[in-house]
């Protein structure tokens, strides 16, 4: 490796790149990190997870203020939102996290950080910041950018994406959101709660199209009750300016509909950040979604890996971190570790939250899997009722041997509640272990114990068990029942 400047070069300072760079350096590899933006942290810190969840929390509190009477409190009429104050809070949260993702911290770990766009000169050498840098191995973790559909007039009329909405000087009075995925749903609810008129235009017949229809429908109903208007099954035709507004024209069945709003937010997928890297010149294969990788996350050049959004598969920060660990095992430890997304969890942070791990019904049916379905409602959760958050349920899918195939949770703190199931799946725990575990009362997490307990209860309280106990211990059966005469021991 002495013929190269570095043992490992990392292109991209987001979750995947930072995971690999910090891990490799701490393991003793001479590591270079190249980032095209002026700061480390990637989309998650500056334009995604962190600012969006900060905005969502501000919107949630404002929404709760306006609904104080639901909790037996005096009616509150808060002043209109000053978005500059919310944007300032978002900036403060980012700045609080930034030191962890800073050049200084990574330098202290032993990583050399270079800012600039990277382009491969040959399979082992890139140019960045006006200099050439060679490495024995490389990781491409350049992430993705918001995509926009080729709708006539969209570019000329203008639109916003997740890169702009958290840094606005003021809050638009109305929005048309193109797309019905997680980002679209989260932002639709947040902006509606902040006082905006919001319309969601979705091409498919269902929002959150990867989720089960019943779960997505419950989300849509909650948002609709809060004032968000949904237009599903819509085919975009044109975007234009008219009367001081931005107009979106679409077809819905046989009808042509025109909506007007102050701003348009585009949430219609992502495109890989591969432009200008000269991948064709070094023989690295890629497609529209991103790099073409094997199970070890290697490109067609086996000393070059890919991780994060650039894989085109699961575009989550936690997925990027997991993939970074796979790359470390292969590139530094030289262990042939393969990637598996079987137990990868994800969550949409609307209210109620929707979280999932493993198979849902839609995916299980698509793959022809046999399963049984078990459900538990938050309407039967004492804690959820106490908090006024009783909308939602847990869905558990079991295979023929009653092993968990997947779990979906729609309800309060679903993303947190899912963590218990992540441990169950990854630890190979039996349902009986979860069902017999003691949970604090009253807690939302009891719902996990209850849905697992349903399976155990069906066996424990079966007629076969009752007959056996009657035979061996002379148990005498029911003492009371509706419409039955009570038997007295007197």
């Amino acid at each position: 490796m002495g013929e190269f400047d570095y043992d490992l070069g990392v292109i991209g300072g987001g979750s995947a790149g930072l995971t690999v760079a910090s891990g490799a350096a701490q393991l003793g590899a001479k590591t270079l990190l190249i980032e095209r933006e002026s700061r480390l942290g990637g989309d998650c810190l500056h334009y995604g997870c962190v600012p969006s969840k900060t905005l969502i929390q501000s919107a949630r509190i404002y929404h709760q203020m306006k609904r104080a009477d639901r909790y037996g409190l005096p009616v509150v009429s808060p002043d209109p939102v000053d978005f500059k104050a919310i944007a300032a809070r978002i900036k403060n949260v980012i700045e609080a996290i930034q030191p962890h993702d800073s050049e200084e911290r990574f330098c202290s770990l032993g990583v050399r950080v270079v800012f600039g766009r990277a382009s491969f000169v040959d399979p082992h050498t890139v140019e960045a910041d006006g200099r050439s840098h060679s490495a024995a191995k490389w990781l491409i973790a350049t992430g993705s950018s918001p995509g926009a559909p080729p709708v006539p007039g969209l570019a000329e009329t203008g639109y916003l994406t997740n890169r702009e909405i958290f840094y606005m000087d003021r809050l638009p009075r109305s929005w048309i959101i193109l797309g019905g995925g997680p980002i679209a749903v989260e932002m639709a609810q947040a902006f509606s709660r902040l006082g905006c008129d919001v319309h969601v235009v979705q091409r498919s017949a269902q929002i959150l199209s990867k989720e089960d229809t019943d779960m997505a429908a419950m989300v849509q109903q909650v948002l609709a009750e809060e004032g968000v208007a949904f237009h599903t099954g819509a085919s975009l035709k044109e975007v234009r300016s008219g009367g001081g507004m931005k107009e979106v024209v679409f077809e819905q069945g046989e009808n042509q509909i025109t909506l007007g709003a102050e701003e348009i937010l585009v949430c219609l997928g992502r495109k890989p950040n591969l432009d200008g890297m000269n991948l064709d010149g070094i023989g690295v294969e890629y497609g529209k979604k991103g790099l073409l990788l094997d199970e070890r996350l290697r490109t067609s050049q086996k000393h070059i890996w890919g991780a994060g959004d650039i894989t085109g598969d699961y575009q989550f920060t936690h997925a990027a971190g997991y993939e970074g660990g796979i790359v470390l095992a292969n590139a530094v430890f030289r262990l042939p570790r393969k990637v598996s997304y079987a137990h990868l969890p994800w969550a949409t942070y609307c209210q109620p939250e929707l979280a999932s791990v493993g198979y849902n019904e839609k995916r299980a049916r698509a793959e022809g899997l046999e399963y049984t379905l078990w459900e538990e409602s938050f309407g039967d959760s004492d804690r959820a009722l106490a908090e006024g958050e009783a909308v939602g349920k847990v869905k558990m899918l079991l295979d023929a041997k009653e092993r968990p195939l997947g779990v979906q949770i729609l309800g309060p703190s679903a993303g947190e509640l899912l963590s218990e199931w992540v441990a169950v799946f990854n630890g190979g725990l039996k349902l009986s272990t979860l069902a017999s575990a003691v949970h604090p009362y009253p807690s939302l997490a009891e719902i996990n114990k209850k849905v697992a307990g349903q399976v155990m209860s069906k066996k424990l309280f079966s007629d076969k068990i009752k007959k056996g106990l009657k035979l061996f211990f002379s148990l005498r059966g029911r003492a009371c029942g509706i419409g039955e005469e009570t038997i007295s021991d007197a």
Side-chain angles (χ1 to χ4, degrees):
M1 290 189 182
E3 61 183 298
F4 304 113
D5 300 328
Y6 299 92
D7 299 318
L8 177 65
V10 176
I11 306 174
S15 180
L18 296 181
T19 296
V20 173
S22 62
Q26 291 178 86
L27 289 169
K30 187 178 181 182
T31 305
L32 170 70
L33 174 61
I34 302 174
E35 168 56 40
R36 68 175 185 172
E37 301 284 353
S38 59
R39 295 178 295 177
L40 300 178
D43 247 38
C44 177
L45 178 57
H46 301 291
Y47 310 109
C49 316
V50 173
S52 67
K53 303 313 168 279
T54 307
L55 173 64
I56 288 170
Q57 179 65 2
S58 293
R60 179 174 297 180
I61 296 300
Y62 190 66
H63 181 65
Q64 295 293 70
M65 290 166 62
K66 293 184 289 185
R67 300 195 308 164
D69 58 313
R70 293 183 71 247
Y71 303 95
L73 299 173
V75 176
V76 177
S77 297
D79 292 337
V81 168
D82 176 7
F83 198 80
K84 285 185 178 180
I86 294 177
R89 178 173 177 267
I90 291 173
K91 182 180 178 182
N92 288 339
V93 172
I94 292 173
E95 289 180 348
I97 299 172
Q98 186 67 67
H100 185 268
D101 294 346
S102 65
E103 179 182 1
E104 292 76 15
R105 176 175 178 270
F106 277 80
C107 182
S108 72
L109 297 175
V111 180
R112 184 187 175 196
V113 179
V114 171
F115 292 98
R117 289 183 174 271
S119 179
F120 280 94
V121 177
D122 61 51
H124 287 277
T125 308
V126 303
E127 285 187 352
D129 192 31
R131 294 186 56 189
S132 293
H133 310 271
S134 64
K137 301 173 182 179
W138 285 94
L139 167 67
I140 299 175
T142 49
S144 64
S145 298
V151 178
L154 178 61
E156 293 79 7
T157 304
Y159 59 91
L160 301 179
T161 69
N162 66 295
R163 290 186 67 91
E164 296 88 27
I165 57 176
F166 307 113
Y167 304 99
M168 299 182 298
D169 291 330
R170 66 177 188 84
L171 188 65
R173 296 184 303 274
S174 55
W175 292 88
I176 297 172
I177 299 179
L178 303 183
I183 297 174
V185 168
E186 290 176 357
M187 293 301 98
Q189 185 177 49
F191 285 127
S192 177
R193 288 180 164 188
L194 292 175
C196 304
D197 179 37
V198 179
H199 289 259
V200 174
V201 179
Q202 165 74 335
R203 179 175 58 184
S204 65
Q206 156 191 332
I207 64 169
L208 302 173
S209 56
K210 292 184 178 181
E211 306 290 352
D212 283 346
T213 301
D214 59 334
M215 304 295 251
M218 293 175 73
V219 172
Q220 182 171 331
Q221 181 179 349
V222 170
L223 269 64
E225 290 173 354
E226 292 184 10
V228 178
F230 290 91
H231 309 271
T232 56
S235 177
L236 294 173
K237 294 301 177 184
E238 181 186 5
V239 177
R240 64 197 182 200
S241 298
M245 304 285 278
K246 297 180 179 181
E247 296 182 342
V248 173
V249 182
F250 60 92
E251 289 182 353
Q252 196 174 41
E254 297 181 356
N255 300 319
Q256 181 166 292
I257 300 171
T258 300
L259 295 177
E262 189 174 342
E263 275 297 350
I264 297 172
L265 173 61
V266 174
C267 301
L268 288 170
R270 311 281 296 180
K271 57 183 181 180
N273 294 330
L274 294 175
D275 292 345
M277 296 191 68
N278 190 32
L279 298 184
D280 292 321
I282 62 168
V284 170
E285 297 178 359
Y286 60 94
K288 291 182 178 180
K289 294 177 62 178
L291 297 173
L292 301 182
L293 306 170
D294 64 14
E295 291 180 319
R296 293 166 60 181
L297 297 179
R298 298 177 301 181
T299 68
S300 47
Q301 289 281 6
K302 300 306 180 185
H303 69 285
I304 301 177
W305 283 262
D309 281 11
I310 206 67
T311 65
D313 290 321
Y314 296 89
Q315 296 181 331
F316 307 119
T317 297
H318 52 283
Y322 162 68
E323 291 162 353
I326 298 294
V327 173
L328 274 175
N330 281 274
V332 179
F333 287 102
R334 302 190 185 187
L335 298 174
R337 188 179 171 195
K338 297 179 180 180
V339 70
S340 171
Y341 300 105
H343 301 151
L344 181 74
W346 65 84
T348 300
Y349 295 97
C350 48
Q351 188 181 13
E353 294 179 359
L354 177 53
S356 180
V357 62
Y359 283 88
N360 58 16
E361 285 198 271
K362 181 176 288 187
R363 184 176 159 213
R365 286 194 296 265
E367 296 189 18
L369 300 180
E370 294 185 6
Y371 64 89
T372 57
L373 175 65
W374 303 78
E375 296 185 354
E376 186 72 31
S377 171
F378 278 96
D380 296 322
S381 165
D382 295 354
R383 181 61 180 273
L385 290 168
E387 295 191 355
E389 300 291 345
V391 175
K393 62 183 177 179
V394 175
K395 295 176 64 175
M396 177 177 67
L397 276 62
L398 303 182
D399 65 14
K401 295 183 178 180
E402 295 189 337
R403 295 174 300 194
L405 279 172
V407 172
Q408 292 77 52
I409 305 177
L410 174 66
S413 301
E416 304 297 332
L417 296 179
L418 192 73
S419 295
E420 190 167 30
W421 288 104
V422 172
V424 168
F425 277 84
N426 284 277
L429 299 180
K430 296 181 178 179
L431 281 182
S432 57
T433 302
L434 177 57
S436 62
V438 179
H439 289 63
Y441 175 86
S443 65
L444 294 171
E446 283 185 297
I447 199 168
N448 292 332
K449 174 184 173 72
K450 285 183 177 180
V451 73
Q454 285 187 35
V455 183
M456 302 300 109
S457 295
K458 184 179 179 181
K459 298 177 180 178
L460 180 62
F461 302 122
S462 66
D463 289 340
K464 182 178 181 180
I465 293 294
K466 286 189 288 186
K467 287 179 181 178
L469 291 174
K470 181 178 181 179
L471 175 65
F472 287 106
F473 303 115
S474 301
L475 300 184
R476 291 178 290 170
R478 299 173 63 87
C480 185
I482 301 298
E484 299 178 3
E485 183 179 346
T486 301
I487 300 175
S488 174
D489 289 331

